[in-house]
Amino acid sequence: MIKIENLSKIYNTGIVSVEALKNINLSIEEREFVSIMGPSGSGKSTLMNILGCLDKPTEGIYELDGESVQDMSDDELAEIRNKKIGFIFQSFNLIPRVNALKNVELPMIYAGVSANQRKERAINALQKVGLEERMHHNPNELSGGQKQRVAIARSLVNNPSLIFADEPTGNLDTKSGNEVMSIFQQLNAEGVTIIMVTHEFDIAMHTKRMIVCRDGKIIEDKPVENQIIIK
Ligand code: ADP
Ligand code: ADP
């Protein structure tokens, strides 16, 4: 699904240039569930932004489902994102004065889905994360864990084959964090590929493969032994 070869990313900020990723090689197959770890500044966000088609490499190859992403225009990248990728963030990124249902419907408005279809698919997605009874609540009436579940529902409505989650449990207590990981495990079992950045080793233990970055390189990449599975 994902193939990265000799990929580098250099940020030029006028006076200094920073090599955020140095000659990285990485393959990720369909249905994998990957955690990316590593200290601050090690290149995790840069890698996620490139993998998620939000940014392009300076050098090297990035193929997503056989398509060469590194040569695409911004419009083509946006189309790929809308078509096959869901994003989840540490700070939820919900729209404040709009209820859960409308928040979940939003990506379908951009995708041109009809109003009836939008509502039906949004309710289905909210059911999937166990929040249909909260659909008329605004984000400020929801707990952190509930907000993140709304964000997950929103990421699902265009049926992505790939989900990127950036510190999805970073603002959550252990119980809510485990609920999020449980939903990810369920989605992964249904066939969605999930790539997640986390600082927490315990959270990474819920995934199937652990990648560790340091100084713009991948220094460790291995299967998780004794994966914690939430029933
Ligand atoms: P992490 O997510 O692991 O904290 P980042 O990918 O954010 O790492 O950063 C990797 C390196 O690239 C750091 O040295 C950071 O300062 C630098 N960097 C990240 N984004 C930019 C940018 N937009 N402009 C310049 N330097 C950047
Ligand atoms: P920490 O130093 O964060 O407490 P540990 O001592 O538990 O971490 O683990 C040391 C290293 O071994 C970590 O970098 C981690 O990548 C690896 N590791 C530990 N347990 C597992 C496991 N079950 N599966 C894969 N890697 C593991």
Side-chain angles (χ1 to χ4, degrees):
M1 172 173 237
I2 282 173
K3 192 168 85 177
I4 276 187
E5 278 176 4
N6 302 322
L7 183 143
S8 299
K9 177 70 183 183
I10 298 167
Y11 293 109
N12 282 308
T13 56
I15 320 159
V16 282
S17 71
V18 180
E19 198 174 3
L21 294 175
K22 300 172 184 164
N23 214 25
I24 286 196
N25 290 287
L26 175 65
S27 289
I28 296 174
E29 304 300 327
E30 247 165 67
R31 296 180 158 264
E32 286 207 62
F33 186 5
V34 182
S35 46
I36 300 177
M37 304 189 74
S40 183
S42 58
K44 303 182 298 293
S45 307
T46 302
L47 181 59
M48 288 287 270
N49 286 343
I50 291 173
L51 287 170
C53 299
L54 293 159
D55 200 358
K56 286 197 280 191
T58 311
E59 275 180 69
I61 290 172
Y62 173 24
E63 273 179 22
L64 178 58
D65 294 330
E67 290 188 278
S68 295
V69 174
Q70 77 275 356
D71 302 322
M72 287 186 181
S73 68
D74 289 349
D75 284 350
E76 287 171 314
L77 290 181
E79 197 184 323
I80 293 218
R81 291 198 301 272
N82 292 336
K83 214 165 60 183
K84 55 175 105 190
I85 305 179
F87 292 94
I88 293 155
F89 308 93
Q90 177 171 6
S91 50
F92 322 124
N93 294 10
L94 299 176
I95 296 178
R97 280 175 209 81
V98 164
N99 70 26
L101 183 64
K102 294 283 178 213
N103 265 284
V104 174
E105 282 189 39
L106 201 65
M108 293 184 282
I109 295 179
Y110 297 124
V113 179
S114 74
N116 282 342
Q117 274 274 315
R118 286 205 301 266
K119 187 163 183 192
E120 189 184 323
R121 275 157 63 176
I123 291 172
N124 278 340
L126 283 162
Q127 276 168 347
K128 193 150 202 161
V129 299
L131 269 189
E132 69 273 32
E133 80 282 4
R134 288 277 192 280
M135 67 181 173
H136 296 300
H137 292 249
N138 286 6
N140 65 1
E141 301 165 320
L142 300 173
S143 70
Q146 289 171 338
K147 282 183 220 173
Q148 194 58 299
R149 284 191 278 153
V150 172
I152 294 172
R154 180 184 56 187
S155 81
L156 293 176
V157 289
N158 289 330
N159 292 316
S161 50
L162 185 56
I163 285 183
F164 287 99
D166 192 355
E167 295 274 0
T169 63
N171 280 335
L172 303 180
D173 58 51
T174 304
K175 181 169 172 286
S176 307
N178 284 342
E179 280 168 11
V180 164
M181 294 314 293
S182 166
I183 293 168
F184 283 165
Q185 287 182 341
Q186 183 198 327
L187 293 170
N188 180 241
E190 291 168 10
V192 182
T193 307
I194 304 177
I195 303 175
M196 177 185 84
V197 167
T198 182
H199 273 102
E200 298 166 81
F201 185 76
D202 287 352
I203 290 294
M205 283 298 295
H206 292 76
T207 69
K208 294 197 248 182
R209 173 178 172 188
M210 218 182 276
I211 290 175
V212 182
C213 295
R214 190 171 193 106
D215 300 330
K217 292 184 188 144
I218 293 173
I219 57 162
E220 242 186 295
D221 182 354
K222 61 185 175 185
V224 172
E225 288 162 36
N226 305 315
Q227 180 196 17
I228 302 169
I229 294 172
I230 303 170
K231 292 287 182 296

